[in-house]
Amino acid sequence: RIRSIMSFSGHAQKTSKRTFPMESVLMPQVPRGNYLHLQEEKQRLQLKKFLLHRMFLVAKITANTEKKIIADYYEQVLQSTLKLHKGEAVTGFLLIYPTSILHILESSSDTLYQILLDHLDQKKNDTEFFIHGMKIIVVSHNIPTRLFMQWHVSEIKVPVMYLDDVTQTQSLEEVITEFLTQTHKLAVHLLKTVKVSAKGPGDNLHQLAPELLIPEQIIKYLCKSEEFMDPEAFLNMYNKPIHITLDSEVVWPAPSHF
């Protein structure tokens, strides 16, 4: 079984030695003009005030849910979370498909924890909550730099045609590797094309960079996979106390005399 979920810093768990290649890739340096480069470096320094983690989420959404409803929900969550954890800015990317979402979040462990907790509260208290079947695909810990300078939202308005459904022919490991590879390529594209303080790429990604978009059938496939944790299971693991028994605490039985 693929172990793609790791605990946040301070809650170490035993994990598989198998890792996905893109998690260890550092973001390439993009040539910029002097002034723009200084502005971006200044913003990076402002964002880098705590141990940084990156979380990849996928989920299904109720069909025909408007983009504004989804975006407004997450904007409210991020604003309320920022009030609780001042200075711990959230950056990332929310990609809204017709019946699913891909969400990448970068911030502190406490902030990411709070976002997941809010999701569970909404799911418990709102019978018509439009986000369901959420799975946590990967949590990358203590990352050296951000993939994103801000938090962006984009909607895929037009169905994108794909040549084949890789989920029918590839293993789960191959699918998740493609998933991580494509999301990193998309992040690099946004880093190169989206200016600092801009609102983001808008809803034209299916026209600007169709080859970089994750096919929706991959997102649905990951949502159904039992290999990945949902927020409730992940938070239960996060809150579970760790008991470590030292060798000095072990009382060994006395040797038998025959």
Side-chain angles (χ1 to χ4, degrees):
R1 294 173 64 86
I2 296 178
R3 299 293 303 278
S4 62
I5 302 297
M6 295 181 288
S7 63
F8 287 122
S9 177
H11 295 74
Q13 301 283 338
K14 292 184 179 179
T15 58
S16 171
K17 293 183 179 179
R18 180 188 306 170
T19 57
F20 297 111
M22 294 306 300
E23 284 198 34
S24 60
V25 176
L26 297 180
M27 185 56 54
Q29 297 296 321
V30 180
R32 302 278 185 163
N34 291 337
Y35 177 75
L36 181 59
H37 178 72
L38 289 175
Q39 289 295 102
E40 291 189 345
E41 286 302 312
K42 180 180 178 181
Q43 187 169 351
R44 288 182 188 278
L45 290 175
Q46 291 175 343
L47 294 173
K48 186 68 174 178
K49 295 180 179 179
F50 46 83
L51 291 180
L52 189 61
H53 310 279
R54 181 181 302 121
M55 182 165 59
F56 293 74
L57 301 172
V58 295
K60 294 178 286 185
I61 57 175
T62 304
N64 301 319
T65 303
E66 295 182 3
K67 169 192 173 183
K68 186 177 186 303
I69 295 177
I70 301 173
D72 286 351
Y73 162 71
Y74 275 113
E75 286 176 357
Q76 184 274 327
V77 170
L78 298 184
Q79 289 176 7
S80 61
T81 302
L82 185 59
K83 292 179 181 179
L84 294 175
H85 305 283
K86 294 182 179 180
E88 299 181 8
V90 177
T91 56
F93 189 73
L94 173 61
L95 197 59
I96 303 175
Y97 291 83
T99 60
S100 62
I101 60 174
L102 163 61
H103 203 178
I104 305 174
L105 293 162
E106 301 172 326
S107 192
S108 69
S109 60
D110 289 340
T111 298
L112 297 181
Y113 176 97
Q114 191 65 40
I115 293 171
L116 293 178
L117 196 60
D118 187 274
H119 173 83
L120 289 183
D121 289 341
Q122 289 290 333
K123 182 180 177 182
K124 179 180 179 180
N125 299 321
D126 186 355
T127 56
E128 298 183 356
F129 189 44
F130 45 84
I131 301 174
H132 49 94
M134 178 176 287
K135 292 294 179 65
I136 303 170
I137 306 304
V138 172
V139 178
S140 301
H141 303 278
N142 301 340
I143 55 178
T145 186
R146 293 176 185 259
L147 289 174
F148 306 93
M149 296 299 292
Q150 300 171 36
W151 184 76
H152 300 295
V153 182
S154 287
E155 181 180 14
I156 307 301
K157 294 181 178 180
V158 182
V160 181
M161 299 301 296
Y162 303 103
L163 296 179
D164 57 358
D165 184 357
V166 298
T167 63
Q168 301 297 319
T169 58
Q170 295 182 349
S171 67
L172 177 59
E173 183 174 357
E174 290 172 328
V175 172
I176 192 62
T177 299
E178 179 175 343
F179 170 84
L180 292 173
T181 301
Q182 287 296 98
T183 53
H184 278 74
K185 286 182 178 179
L186 180 59
V188 172
H189 172 77
L190 295 176
L191 183 64
K192 292 179 179 178
T193 57
V194 178
K195 297 180 181 179
V196 177
S197 300
K199 293 183 178 181
D203 298 330
N204 297 318
L205 273 177
H206 59 280
Q207 296 175 341
L208 300 176
E211 73 284 357
L212 299 180
L213 293 178
I214 303 295
E216 187 175 23
Q217 65 260 28
I218 288 184
I219 297 177
K220 291 182 177 181
Y221 172 76
L222 296 177
C223 288
K224 294 178 181 179
S225 176
E226 296 181 356
E227 299 287 340
F228 306 105
M229 289 186 182
D230 58 26
E232 184 175 6
F234 182 83
L235 292 178
N236 286 338
M237 181 187 72
Y238 180 84
N239 290 322
K240 185 177 181 180
I242 300 175
H243 299 286
I244 301 177
T245 304
L246 302 177
D247 288 342
S248 59
E249 299 174 341
V250 176
V251 178
W252 300 100
S256 299
H257 297 280
F258 296 97

